[in-house]
Amino acid sequence: MTERILAADTSDGGTDRPPPARFAYDRHTWKEIAHLLANLPVSLVGFTYVVTVLFTGAFLTLTVIGFPLLAAGLLGARQLGKLERGRARGLLGVRIDEPSPLPLRGRGGFFAQLWMALKDPVGWRTVLYEFMRLPWGVLTFTITLVSLFVLWPVLPYIARGLTNADRAMVRGLLSPSDELERRIAELESDRGVVVDTAAADLRRIERDLHDGAQARLVNLAMGLGLAKEKLLEGQADETVAAMVDEAHGEVKLALQELRDLARGIHPAVLTDRGLDAALSSVASRCTVPVKVTADLPMRPAAAIEGIAYFTVSELLQNVSKHSGARSASVDVWRSDNRLLIQVWDDGRGGAALNGGTGMAGLADRLGAVDGLFVIDSPVGGPTTITAELPWRDRVEQAEQAEQVE
């Protein structure tokens, strides 16, 4: 079983192709015929909207109300494009991503929002699409209707040719503007993942402080307070010594918990000695013997290094708790502009994103920085998990200070 989480764009090409046309009338053929027959009424509605609203708005631009009316017409054209994409998705199987909505709220007042709506490329391309569709709708409706009675043996091939032209028009005019448009949509999604991850980390730190070190420090304060009262009462006996000894033990435990918490936030060994030493430290705490190999010519950027560390740390925790493995390995290397991580174990396998072991969270965290997360874990093992991160060169603190100056 192999599962992939990719931070790259997914292309529509090849995933929405219908099966080859045949003489037999299968469900794909009937859907294509229905689409072609619906072209005429749908194109009539779209053409009427374009001519009535947009041409009226363009004519009234000589007055004050013309530009707002034109902008409203373009926003309405976006909705027509959404309906056409839905029709193509349902009847032609064309999978087209929805364009990002216009970010009108909080954008510099009325005139800034008006200008953004007027220059919207998605709206204008939808207008062009609806304007072109009327003659095409008349043509496809006529050919399909006549072929149902005259050319019905070859109608599946005729319908396939006409709907292929429809597919090309939908992809060409109703798809998101370009690579940048799709990239913006991805970044908006990734931003939400980053915010949710940061909030979850803050809650974890707060919970660990409250349940661990804070509780021990409260007990320490209470114990020292009681010891102080007994000393003031002149009871300097073995009871006070035992209370002080217990308080000393609480201090050591609290310090250990604070060190563990600091290591969970950002370990000092990662900052001081880099990824190789930090991963060796993580591997030494794993209940399974782990071989660590790091072949890096230089240290990556601090953020990338931190994500790589916590990815390996989480995966090795899963190896300890869930794999039942006898051995494991961690390999880290650089390939061109990517940092690659591979964690292997000879355990029972069956790892999956929905397995409740934090895999989905790791995939989301990697995806938020243009990363890649691959699970290859057949039942019975072994398990090989590969993670990729974009390589960014490290800027040392001294260089950063010089840049600031």
Side-chain angles (χ1 to χ4, degrees), residues 189-250:
S189 175
D190 292 343
R191 180 180 61 184
V193 172
V194 171
V195 171
D196 292 342
T197 302
D201 288 341
L202 286 175
R203 288 194 298 269
R204 177 183 59 80
I205 293 170
E206 181 183 11
R207 183 177 63 251
D208 290 346
L209 282 172
H210 182 271
D211 297 341
Q214 181 178 341
R216 293 195 180 279
L217 291 174
V218 169
N219 291 334
L220 171 64
M222 294 176 61
L224 291 176
L226 291 174
K228 179 182 178 181
E229 290 180 1
K230 290 187 176 295
L231 286 174
L232 291 176
E233 294 172 359
Q235 300 180 13
D237 53 9
E238 294 181 356
T239 303
V240 176
M243 295 175 65
V244 172
D245 183 65
E246 182 180 354
H248 182 252
E250 290 288 337

Side-chain angles (χ1 to χ4, degrees), residues 20 28 53 58-59 82 84 88 90 106 138 147 162 173 181 191 218 236 300 308 334-335 369 384 393:
H28 296 285
V53 178
F59 177 76
K82 183 177 182 179
E84 285 289 343
V138 173
S147 298
L162 294 175
L173 293 175
E181 175 71 25
R191 180 180 61 184
V218 169
R334 178 182 178 179
S335 177
V369 293
T384 302
D393 291 333

Side-chain angles (χ1 to χ4, degrees), residues 2-188:
T2 302
E3 301 192 32
R4 297 176 66 89
I5 294 296
L6 289 166
D9 292 323
T10 55
S11 173
D12 293 326
T15 61
D16 51 8
R17 291 180 181 175
R22 300 180 299 171
F23 285 106
Y25 280 59
D26 57 12
R27 63 185 182 91
H28 296 285
T29 299
W30 284 115
K31 284 184 176 182
E32 290 176 342
I33 293 172
H35 179 86
L36 294 172
L37 293 176
N39 273 349
L40 179 58
V42 172
S43 61
L44 277 173
V45 173
F47 185 83
T48 303
Y49 175 86
V50 168
V51 172
T52 303
V53 178
L54 297 185
F55 281 16
T56 303
F59 177 76
L60 291 177
T61 52
L62 299 174
T63 67
V64 177
I65 63 172
F67 288 106
L69 181 60
L70 186 59
L74 288 171
L75 292 176
R78 271 181 163 254
Q79 300 306 311
L80 287 177
K82 183 177 182 179
L83 292 175
E84 285 289 343
R85 281 187 294 272
R87 187 166 73 100
R89 187 182 305 115
L91 296 177
L92 302 182
V94 178
R95 307 295 175 182
I96 300 293
D97 293 334
E98 292 292 330
S100 300
L102 285 177
L104 297 178
R105 294 184 179 180
R107 286 302 180 100
F110 172 76
F111 290 103
Q113 296 174 8
L114 178 63
W115 176 243
M116 183 178 296
L118 288 174
K119 66 178 184 178
D120 177 26
V122 175
W124 283 113
R125 285 189 291 108
T126 306
V127 168
L128 178 61
Y129 177 86
E130 297 293 351
F131 192 74
M132 293 169 49
R133 293 291 291 181
L134 182 58
W136 177 253
V138 173
L139 178 65
T140 56
F141 179 85
T142 303
I143 292 176
T144 305
L145 189 62
V146 171
S147 298
L148 275 173
F149 298 97
V150 179
L151 302 174
W152 59 267
V154 294
L155 180 55
Y157 296 93
I158 296 174
R160 177 58 51 82
L162 294 175
T163 53
N164 281 341
D166 270 317
R167 291 183 178 95
M169 281 189 279
V170 171
R171 292 192 183 101
L173 293 175
L174 297 184
S175 59
S177 299
D178 50 19
E179 185 72 18
L180 179 60
E181 175 71 25
R182 291 190 292 271
R183 184 69 183 136
I184 289 173
E186 281 189 359
L187 291 176
E188 288 176 350

Side-chain angles (χ1 to χ4, degrees), residues 375-390:
I375 302 176
D376 184 9
S377 183
V379 176
T383 295
T384 302
I385 298 178
T386 304
E388 288 187 19
L389 288 166

